[in-house]
Amino acid sequence: MKRRDKINYYLDIAETVLKRGTCLRRNYGAIIVKNDEIISTGYTGAPRGRKNCIDLAYCMRDKLNIPRGQMYEKCRSVHAEMNACLSAARRDMIGSTLYLVGRDAKTKELIANANSCAMCKRIIINSGIESVIIRDAEDDYRITHVQEWISNDDSLTEKMGY
């Protein structure tokens, strides 16, 4: 039996976390790991106390035909990365890694070219997270060093859709 590599092990855990997501479009799971310890998890869902899209049985962004990566202010959900960052102290996140997995809520397929939105990138930058690892396929992933987001400031470009 071949032992699972550590990155895919953590991505598998993030994928389990996404199953708690309540979005009718896309669900993400995120975990923050530092020194081989999980310090926080997060999934896509409405703020505490508010009804989730699965409870309302509709998605406002779907109703308005809003494309992926646009007008997140119309979304009820707090993103997985944000929820993971909100659940951890900054002192614990400095130098950590965030693992992220997304699946389409209807097809259950992995999200092609998944990436953090502009707001999540800002939160990740300020939290002190060092790198973000995103699953592309069952055993494939991309590693982004957060310093790249700082150096290549996409908030200065016209198009910011993901």
mmCIF file of all heavy atoms in Angstrom, residues 68-86:
data_model
loop_
_atom_site.group_PDB
_atom_site.id
_atom_site.type_symbol
_atom_site.label_atom_id
_atom_site.label_comp_id
_atom_site.label_asym_id
_atom_site.label_seq_id
_atom_site.Cartn_x
_atom_site.Cartn_y
_atom_site.Cartn_z
ATOM 1 N N ARG A 68 -19.582 33.426 -12.714
ATOM 2 C CA ARG A 68 -18.551 33.094 -11.733
ATOM 3 C C ARG A 68 -17.529 34.226 -11.643
ATOM 4 O O ARG A 68 -17.129 34.796 -12.642
ATOM 5 C CB ARG A 68 -17.871 31.798 -12.178
ATOM 6 C CG ARG A 68 -16.719 31.362 -11.326
ATOM 7 C CD ARG A 68 -16.181 30.058 -11.855
ATOM 8 N NE ARG A 68 -14.883 29.759 -11.253
ATOM 9 C CZ ARG A 68 -14.096 28.796 -11.650
ATOM 10 N NH1 ARG A 68 -14.453 28.024 -12.657
ATOM 11 N NH2 ARG A 68 -12.957 28.586 -11.065
ATOM 12 N N GLY A 69 -17.158 34.570 -10.420
ATOM 13 C CA GLY A 69 -16.107 35.565 -10.211
ATOM 14 C C GLY A 69 -16.577 37.003 -10.205
ATOM 15 O O GLY A 69 -15.763 37.909 -10.123
ATOM 16 N N GLN A 70 -17.884 37.233 -10.272
ATOM 17 C CA GLN A 70 -18.394 38.601 -10.326
ATOM 18 C C GLN A 70 -19.448 38.829 -9.253
ATOM 19 O O GLN A 70 -20.164 37.929 -8.864
ATOM 20 C CB GLN A 70 -18.997 38.889 -11.702
ATOM 21 C CG GLN A 70 -17.999 38.820 -12.831
ATOM 22 C CD GLN A 70 -18.653 39.085 -14.177
ATOM 23 O OE1 GLN A 70 -19.727 39.658 -14.271
ATOM 24 N NE2 GLN A 70 -17.991 38.647 -15.233
ATOM 25 N N MET A 71 -19.525 40.064 -8.790
ATOM 26 C CA MET A 71 -20.584 40.543 -7.894
ATOM 27 C C MET A 71 -20.794 39.660 -6.665
ATOM 28 O O MET A 71 -21.904 39.273 -6.335
ATOM 29 C CB MET A 71 -21.889 40.734 -8.663
ATOM 30 C CG MET A 71 -21.795 41.772 -9.764
ATOM 31 S SD MET A 71 -23.307 41.934 -10.734
ATOM 32 C CE MET A 71 -24.432 42.569 -9.507
ATOM 33 N N TYR A 72 -19.708 39.369 -5.960
ATOM 34 C CA TYR A 72 -19.819 38.534 -4.762
ATOM 35 C C TYR A 72 -20.652 39.186 -3.667
ATOM 36 O O TYR A 72 -21.123 38.507 -2.761
ATOM 37 C CB TYR A 72 -18.439 38.167 -4.224
ATOM 38 C CG TYR A 72 -17.771 37.086 -5.024
ATOM 39 C CD1 TYR A 72 -16.557 37.309 -5.644
ATOM 40 C CD2 TYR A 72 -18.358 35.835 -5.161
ATOM 41 C CE1 TYR A 72 -15.939 36.313 -6.377
ATOM 42 C CE2 TYR A 72 -17.756 34.833 -5.903
ATOM 43 C CZ TYR A 72 -16.545 35.078 -6.498
ATOM 44 O OH TYR A 72 -15.943 34.086 -7.232
ATOM 45 N N GLU A 73 -20.867 40.483 -3.757
ATOM 46 C CA GLU A 73 -21.717 41.148 -2.759
ATOM 47 C C GLU A 73 -23.161 40.657 -2.818
ATOM 48 O O GLU A 73 -23.925 40.826 -1.866
ATOM 49 C CB GLU A 73 -21.653 42.680 -2.901
ATOM 50 C CG GLU A 73 -22.312 43.244 -4.149
ATOM 51 C CD GLU A 73 -21.443 43.239 -5.408
ATOM 52 O OE1 GLU A 73 -20.335 42.662 -5.374
ATOM 53 O OE2 GLU A 73 -21.880 43.806 -6.425
ATOM 54 N N LYS A 74 -23.539 40.007 -3.904
ATOM 55 C CA LYS A 74 -24.888 39.437 -4.033
ATOM 56 C C LYS A 74 -24.980 38.025 -3.460
ATOM 57 O O LYS A 74 -26.040 37.418 -3.454
ATOM 58 C CB LYS A 74 -25.320 39.405 -5.507
ATOM 59 C CG LYS A 74 -25.391 40.762 -6.160
ATOM 60 C CD LYS A 74 -26.532 41.567 -5.609
ATOM 61 C CE LYS A 74 -26.660 42.882 -6.363
ATOM 62 N NZ LYS A 74 -27.575 43.784 -5.697
ATOM 63 N N CYS A 75 -23.867 37.499 -2.977
ATOM 64 C CA CYS A 75 -23.816 36.140 -2.440
ATOM 65 C C CYS A 75 -24.075 36.165 -0.933
ATOM 66 O O CYS A 75 -23.554 37.017 -0.221
ATOM 67 C CB CYS A 75 -22.432 35.540 -2.718
ATOM 68 S SG CYS A 75 -22.232 33.863 -2.097
ATOM 69 N N ARG A 76 -24.865 35.226 -0.440
ATOM 70 C CA ARG A 76 -25.155 35.114 0.994
ATOM 71 C C ARG A 76 -23.985 34.527 1.771
ATOM 72 O O ARG A 76 -23.885 34.700 2.979
ATOM 73 C CB ARG A 76 -26.361 34.184 1.222
ATOM 74 C CG ARG A 76 -27.658 34.691 0.683
ATOM 75 C CD ARG A 76 -28.808 33.821 1.131
ATOM 76 N NE ARG A 76 -29.020 33.825 2.572
ATOM 77 C CZ ARG A 76 -29.590 34.834 3.254
ATOM 78 N NH1 ARG A 76 -29.973 35.913 2.627
ATOM 79 N NH2 ARG A 76 -29.748 34.737 4.556
ATOM 80 N N SER A 77 -23.132 33.787 1.093
ATOM 81 C CA SER A 77 -22.112 32.993 1.776
ATOM 82 C C SER A 77 -20.874 33.776 2.171
ATOM 83 O O SER A 77 -20.468 34.724 1.507
ATOM 84 C CB SER A 77 -21.671 31.835 0.888
ATOM 85 O OG SER A 77 -22.695 30.877 0.778
ATOM 86 N N VAL A 78 -20.274 33.296 3.243
ATOM 87 C CA VAL A 78 -18.914 33.666 3.609
ATOM 88 C C VAL A 78 -18.049 32.565 3.006
ATOM 89 O O VAL A 78 -18.343 31.377 3.158
ATOM 90 C CB VAL A 78 -18.748 33.713 5.151
ATOM 91 C CG1 VAL A 78 -17.313 34.021 5.525
ATOM 92 C CG2 VAL A 78 -19.707 34.725 5.762
ATOM 93 N N HIS A 79 -17.014 32.958 2.291
ATOM 94 C CA HIS A 79 -16.178 31.983 1.607
ATOM 95 C C HIS A 79 -15.386 31.132 2.596
ATOM 96 O O HIS A 79 -15.099 31.546 3.724
ATOM 97 C CB HIS A 79 -15.231 32.683 0.648
ATOM 98 C CG HIS A 79 -15.943 33.300 -0.516
ATOM 99 N ND1 HIS A 79 -15.283 34.002 -1.492
ATOM 100 C CD2 HIS A 79 -17.245 33.319 -0.865
ATOM 101 C CE1 HIS A 79 -16.158 34.427 -2.395
ATOM 102 N NE2 HIS A 79 -17.358 34.021 -2.028
ATOM 103 N N ALA A 80 -15.016 29.943 2.150
ATOM 104 C CA ALA A 80 -14.299 28.977 2.995
ATOM 105 C C ALA A 80 -13.005 29.573 3.552
ATOM 106 O O ALA A 80 -12.696 29.394 4.736
ATOM 107 C CB ALA A 80 -13.995 27.709 2.190
ATOM 108 N N GLU A 81 -12.254 30.269 2.695
ATOM 109 C CA GLU A 81 -10.988 30.863 3.143
ATOM 110 C C GLU A 81 -11.236 31.882 4.246
ATOM 111 O O GLU A 81 -10.491 31.945 5.236
ATOM 112 C CB GLU A 81 -10.249 31.555 1.987
ATOM 113 C CG GLU A 81 -9.996 30.698 0.780
ATOM 114 C CD GLU A 81 -11.040 30.878 -0.317
ATOM 115 O OE1 GLU A 81 -12.241 30.846 -0.020
ATOM 116 O OE2 GLU A 81 -10.637 31.045 -1.484
ATOM 117 N N MET A 82 -12.271 32.707 4.060
ATOM 118 C CA MET A 82 -12.604 33.712 5.073
ATOM 119 C C MET A 82 -12.982 33.051 6.388
ATOM 120 O O MET A 82 -12.532 33.464 7.458
ATOM 121 C CB MET A 82 -13.763 34.591 4.603
ATOM 122 C CG MET A 82 -13.435 35.536 3.498
ATOM 123 S SD MET A 82 -14.898 36.541 3.126
ATOM 124 C CE MET A 82 -14.441 37.203 1.547
ATOM 125 N N ASN A 83 -13.835 32.025 6.317
ATOM 126 C CA ASN A 83 -14.260 31.329 7.532
ATOM 127 C C ASN A 83 -13.069 30.691 8.245
ATOM 128 O O ASN A 83 -12.983 30.731 9.473
ATOM 129 C CB ASN A 83 -15.328 30.283 7.221
ATOM 130 C CG ASN A 83 -16.713 30.902 7.199
ATOM 131 O OD1 ASN A 83 -17.022 31.787 7.978
ATOM 132 N ND2 ASN A 83 -17.552 30.420 6.303
ATOM 133 N N ALA A 84 -12.150 30.104 7.485
ATOM 134 C CA ALA A 84 -10.961 29.505 8.106
ATOM 135 C C ALA A 84 -10.108 30.575 8.782
ATOM 136 O O ALA A 84 -9.637 30.387 9.906
ATOM 137 C CB ALA A 84 -10.145 28.738 7.066
ATOM 138 N N CYS A 85 -9.935 31.717 8.118
ATOM 139 C CA CYS A 85 -9.141 32.806 8.701
ATOM 140 C C CYS A 85 -9.825 33.404 9.931
ATOM 141 O O CYS A 85 -9.159 33.745 10.910
ATOM 142 C CB CYS A 85 -8.870 33.889 7.664
ATOM 143 S SG CYS A 85 -7.692 33.402 6.378
ATOM 144 N N LEU A 86 -11.143 33.514 9.893
ATOM 145 C CA LEU A 86 -11.879 34.056 11.034
ATOM 146 C C LEU A 86 -11.801 33.162 12.261
ATOM 147 O O LEU A 86 -11.955 33.635 13.391
ATOM 148 C CB LEU A 86 -13.351 34.268 10.661
ATOM 149 C CG LEU A 86 -13.646 35.440 9.749
ATOM 150 C CD1 LEU A 86 -15.064 35.340 9.199
ATOM 151 C CD2 LEU A 86 -13.441 36.749 10.477
#
